[in-house]
Each structure stands twice: as structure tokens, then as C-alpha cells.
Amino acid sequence: MEVAVTTEIIRDGLVAPSDIAELAGVSRAAVSNWRKRSQGFPEPAGGTEAKPLFDRAEVSAWLRGRGYEPARATADIDVFGLFNALDGSTRIERMAAVLLSLLCVRKLSAETADGYRGWDRLRAAAAVDDFEEFDTVVGEFEDTDERWSQLVSRSEVRDEFENWAHPGRRSVGVFGRLVDIIDRIDPGDLASVGDRFLARVVSAQVRSGGDSGFVGSRTSALLVRAASGAQGVLYDPACGIGEALIGLSSRRGGDVRVVGHEIDPTAARFARQRCYLHGVSVDIGSVDVLEADPVPGLLADVIVVEPPFGLSWRYDRADPRWAYGIAPSKASEFAWIQHAVAHLASEGRAYVITPLGPAFKSGPAAAIRSGLLRDGCIEAIVGLPGKMLPHTSIPLVLWVLCRPGASVRPGKVLFVDGSASPDPEDRVDDWLAGRKQDALDEPPHAEVSIADIIGLDADLDPRKWVKSVGVEPEQLVRKLAASQSALRDALNDIAGGASSPAIPDVVSTAAVLTVQDLVRQGIATLEPGRARPGGGRTDSAPRVITVGDLRVPMPEIPEIRSTREGTDLTHPGDILVATVHTIRAVVDHRGGNLCATGVHRLRVDPDRLHHEYVAHCLAGDWNTRFLRGTAAPRADIKDLEIPVVPVAEQEAIVAALDQVKVLETRAQHVADAANSVAAALLDVVRFAAPLNASV
């Protein structure tokens, strides 16, 4: 049933509880608590009982009445609020299509000979909600610049405007509101706004099994890292929304040709629009590359492919691409692999991600693998950890392919078992290049004879070959020697520097105060973080501290000479606190940073409180009782307790705690080194590496 939407709701938009949490700088649990227990919290203005939506103007007024100053909503939240207000009269994919088209219109207008004339006309028309002017403007520019027809979905946008203006919905003002939101975006942020909105759209599709890729994909990041050192023509025959193309292009300089294909026309259009907004010149076509080769003469220096899993496909047996055999009709992975090999330049490399199954299954797949191996087309196979994709936990593998006979390892294949690595997307280039890492941290790997692999049904499961062939005996012995050396160093370190901490003789009776008490008494100030991590950070922009950064000690953060001023920047000595899952409190000794959502900044009076002492107390065991919830327990930072004693005693307690921390760290080093010795010794025994082997 359609729900009428008033012009007031359109003007301010509807927000979900997650948006309210971001605007207020609190957790989602806090918003849930407000809804249940706070009198006067706004009633839902749309959505469903399970997924309520709230009038943003009413929510903002309620927050201000309770001392919260709502953060200015980012443009993607503004657009999402507008979409929410339409309450089912359009699909979110259609809203994304309209948004990306209008973002492209704004950028195209700035690049035409008439300057901003096109966008100025749209702004004037938006003031009176004359959406028909959009069709007129785009039609005029299409005649002189073909990019307008490629990047602006003219008919789809016009249909949506007409749909929104339907009298029964009273959706008056949508066009004007949307143009106003886009007009206020800094030109340098057009791409990031489109990405953030599209991330909401595509992530929902991914969770339901979509295969068009998504913003922030780990697998796309892995392909980018694996191929980042290569130059020349770049090709992605299953480019989705262009995540890998954009990532690779951002790492490569010069004027290079970038080609993409995508079977889904909507995803292909999104890819073209995103690439344009990111400044990537690309040729993307919407086509089924397996049914017929759209570019038979294309030879690429770099090919990246993340094809849809288990896709049914139709084929022509006479197609020269299937030189190694016809892939099963309901398992097209080897069609994509052969398509990639067929389009490689003489020194080119293809990087293809597939499920693990095609690497070891028997039947036609084994015959194709054998043919590729005999011709030397498979250079490396990398096993990847589970959950690289959010919607499935099936194991994946990365194939590194080359033209026949062009492998850098003639007669061999490199196998890397990266299934235990937490971050293969940050390290895969080192693995493939053979760059040495810490012997205690290298993934299991082996170079295996192609003849041996073919002799065992061309099985390419990395775990099989790494376990059966292992690594060179000398390497196992070196690993054992390195772990023994590390253990000796750790033992010497703890023996030479161990001492009992100097516990203060006298501790005054503590006055136990909560954070809220400290704020009320003027001893401390508390501010929630509201900054968004990532995005367009530059050398002059402050670093955004996230919950993941709150470790002791904090990770080294490069000093940034920020031109930004404001009370939202941290000062040296500020305490940064997170209270989700566990309570973490770390002192920011340098200052000049921003706090992301979920990180609170606590600033204390140094005459009354020692910042390190306060950080230790916030993480004290007694405060864990304030954690509430099951899946993601959280605590209200204002409830946390600090036993206040004279500053001199606080300093003595901090000194004692520092000594304890040193002992704890040294003891952990001993434990880690001992575990490494045990593992290395067992590897030596398992793979028959002689302990007297020459190192």
C-alpha cells in the first residue's frame, strides 16, 4: 500500500536508528534505549514496526533539548533520508541511479564549454520543482557531448521524477530537494558521496547473494594489491560496479587504456559513472563475454577477474578461446580463466578469484587444468581465508595466469596457503614476488613441479601441496633456529630487567566519582566522536582515530601539520575511550586528531587528575559490570567510575602499573617464542628436515 508523503517530510527526510546514532555520536544501543525509556522521543514517521523511520527535524529537536548537538548530516545520509521519506514509492537501486546521474550531470556541466550553464538551469528549475527541465538540459548536451548519454540515465531519471510527482503520493519537492543536496557537495567529494550511498545499496544486495561487487570489497582490494605493480592495458571482463578498476587505476600513473565488461546493465552503468566521478577514463560495455567475445583482438597487460560463482553459461564449441576444453554448463569458472588467458599480452598477467572447488574437482575441470599446466599458463595459486566475502564463507583461491611458456617459474607452480592470514589483501604482492618476511610469519608455500601436479589429477589445492611437499629443509631449520634465538632473547630480557613493581606505601581513601560526576564538577569534559574514517584525507587533514586504533600503545600515527582548527581536534593528554564489547581507554599524547563515531574524547584537569591514571581506571575490572547486551555489549561512558586520590599518589600508581605492564609484555614475548619453538620443531620432524642441515 502506498503511503502519502508530505512536503515537510520530503524537506527534512526520514532517518533510521543507525542514522540517529551517527548524528548524535552515540551507539545504536543508546538510540534503542532512548526509544524504550525516554519520554517524548519522536514517534516513527514511516517504515515498518521492525524497521522504523523517524522525522529528522523532530529527532534533531529532541536531541538538542537534551544537550546533544546533532552533527551535520553528510550528503549520502541526506539522500537516504529523502529515499526513506518516499516510503516505498521507489526502489533503492532506482534512487542510486538518479543520484549517480545527477552527480555526473554536475561534474559534466563543469567540464563543458558553457561552464556551469547546465547545472545552473537545473538549480533554477529545482527551485520551482520543474523536473521536466532535466530532460531538456540533458537532451541538449547529448547532441554535443556523447558522455552525457553514456553517464546520465536520462529516461530512468525522468521516469522516477514523474513517479515521485504522482498526485496520489503528494511527493512534491523531491527533485528540488535532491538538486539542493547535490549542489551543496564540494566538487572534490562527488565520488565519495556516490560511493557511500551505493555502498548501502549494493551491500544489501550482496547479503542476499548479489554478485556485482560492492564498495570496500576485500576481494577487489586483493586483486588490486596483487596486480598493483603492473603497467599497460588493464582489462576486467566481469567488472561489476568497477571497484577493482577504480582501485587499480588510482595506483597507476600515465595514460593507459582501461577496458571493462559486465553482463548486468545496471552494474555496468554504475561502474561507468563511478569511474567518471573518480577521474578514471574507461571503456565499459554491458555484454555477456562468455556467449560471444566482444573484443577478440584485445591483448591486455593486466587482467583482473572476480566472476560470479557457479554461473550457468552458453557456449560455442568453435570459439577459439576454449582451447583447453569446455567448462561445465553450470560451472563457468574455467570459461573465465580461458577467456583471461586468451586476452593476455605476451608478458601480461591475469589474476582470477574463484571458489576452491575448481582447483581440485575431477572430470572436465581436471582435463582443463592439465592442459593449462602443460602449456605453462598457471604461474601461482594462492589459497585465501574464509569470509573474504560477507555473504559466504566458502574458501577462495587466487589464480595467477600467463601466456603459454611465459611463466617466471618454468616447469613449476608456486603454491601459497594464505588461508590463515588475517589480511591477505595487504600482503599478497609480497607473497607472489617472493619478498622475504619474518620467518615466524611467512605463510606456508612451495614451488612444485608441473609433472608432479599433473600426475596427481592436476590437483591445485594449495593445502595439498604445501603439506605434502612442504618447504625446503633448510628453511624449516632456519625457522627453528630463528624461534630458538627469539626465545633466548625473550628469556634474557625478562631475567635481566625483571623487578617487583614499587607499590606505593600509602594510598589515601579514594572518592569514587563517575565520568558524569567529573563533568558536572568541571574536572573533565566529554565529547563523542563524529568524524567519518577514510575518505579524502590529505597531508593537511587530521587523522581520524577509530575504535580499532585504541590499543596500548597506540599505533604510530604520522605527524600531520593540519591547517584545520576547532574544538573537535584532540589535545595532547586527551583520553580516547571506546565502550563496545569491552572498555578501552588510551591517552593521545600527540593530539591534533579527530575521533570517529564510537570513540569518546575525555579531557581532564591536570591539576586534579593524571591522564594515564584515569585511562587505567576506566579500563578497571569494576567498570565491566556496566557492559550491557549480548551480541554487542556496550557501556555508557558516563557511568564509568574513577577512584580519585591526590595527584601525587596517582603518579606513583601509574609508575607501578607501568612496571607491571613491562613485565606482562616480556612474559608474553616468552610465551609466544616458546610456542614458535614447539611449532617449528614439529614441522622439522614432520617434513624430515635434518637438524644438522646446513643453514
Side-chain angles (χ1 to χ4, degrees), residues 434-590:
R435 286 189 283 267
K436 294 297 183 182
Q437 304 174 21
D438 188 328
L440 301 178
D441 195 37
E442 278 193 301
H445 60 281
E447 285 192 0
V448 184
S449 162
I450 287 176
D452 289 342
I453 301 171
I454 293 176
L456 289 180
D457 206 24
D459 190 331
L460 296 177
D461 185 343
R463 298 169 300 182
K464 175 183 180 63
W465 293 105
V466 167
K467 288 181 178 179
S468 61
V469 175
V471 292
E472 295 297 328
E474 292 81 1
Q475 183 178 7
L476 292 175
V477 174
R478 286 197 300 270
K479 184 175 180 179
L480 177 59
S483 60
Q484 288 178 296
S485 177
L487 179 57
R488 283 194 296 269
D489 291 344
L491 288 170
N492 291 336
D493 186 39
I494 198 169
S499 61
S500 179
I503 304 297
D505 293 333
V506 178
V507 177
S508 303
T509 301
V512 179
L513 300 179
T514 66
V515 171
Q516 185 168 348
D517 293 333
L518 298 177
V519 172
R520 286 174 175 170
Q521 295 180 25
I523 303 174
T525 60
L526 179 67
E527 291 291 337
R530 297 190 175 96
R532 300 178 70 93
R537 182 158 57 90
T538 64
D539 290 342
S540 63
R543 165 72 180 263
V544 177
I545 305 298
T546 65
V547 173
D549 293 323
L550 300 190
R551 305 190 296 274
V552 180
M554 281 184 65
E556 183 65 25
I557 299 172
E559 186 172 2
I560 296 173
R561 295 182 179 178
S562 174
T563 58
R564 176 171 178 169
E565 297 180 356
T567 57
D568 52 347
L569 295 179
T570 61
H571 291 179
D574 282 353
I575 306 157
L576 310 183
V577 189
T579 59
V580 181
H581 293 293
T582 187
I583 298 170
R584 284 179 275 184
V586 178
V587 175
D588 182 357
H589 291 284
R590 178 173 288 172

Side-chain angles (χ1 to χ4, degrees), residues 56 74-85 95-96 99 177-178 181-182 185 193 197:
R56 200 172 89 200
T74 54
D76 54 299
I77 290 182
D78 285 333
V79 177
F80 213 79
L82 186 62
F83 166 75
N84 289 335
M95 191 71 174
L99 172 64
R177 175 70 174 131
L178 192 53
I181 292 170
I182 295 173
I185 301 172
V193 169
F197 187 85

Side-chain angles (χ1 to χ4, degrees), residues 515 550 552 575-579 582-587 602 611-627 635 637 640-643 657 661:
V515 171
L550 300 190
V552 180
I575 306 157
L576 310 183
V577 189
T579 59
T582 187
I583 298 170
R584 284 179 275 184
V586 178
V587 175
L602 182 65
H611 48 253
E612 293 283 3
Y613 174 79
V614 172
H616 281 298
C617 290
L618 289 171
D621 287 343
W622 63 85
N623 280 325
T624 59
R625 74 184 193 277
F626 294 112
L627 291 167
I637 186 174
L640 303 185
E641 297 172 344
I642 299 168
L657 292 172
K661 190 64 180 178

Side-chain angles (χ1 to χ4, degrees), residues 632-648:
R634 302 169 185 263
D636 188 335
I637 186 174
K638 295 178 182 177
D639 293 336
L640 303 185
E641 297 172 344
I642 299 168
V644 179
V645 295
V647 172

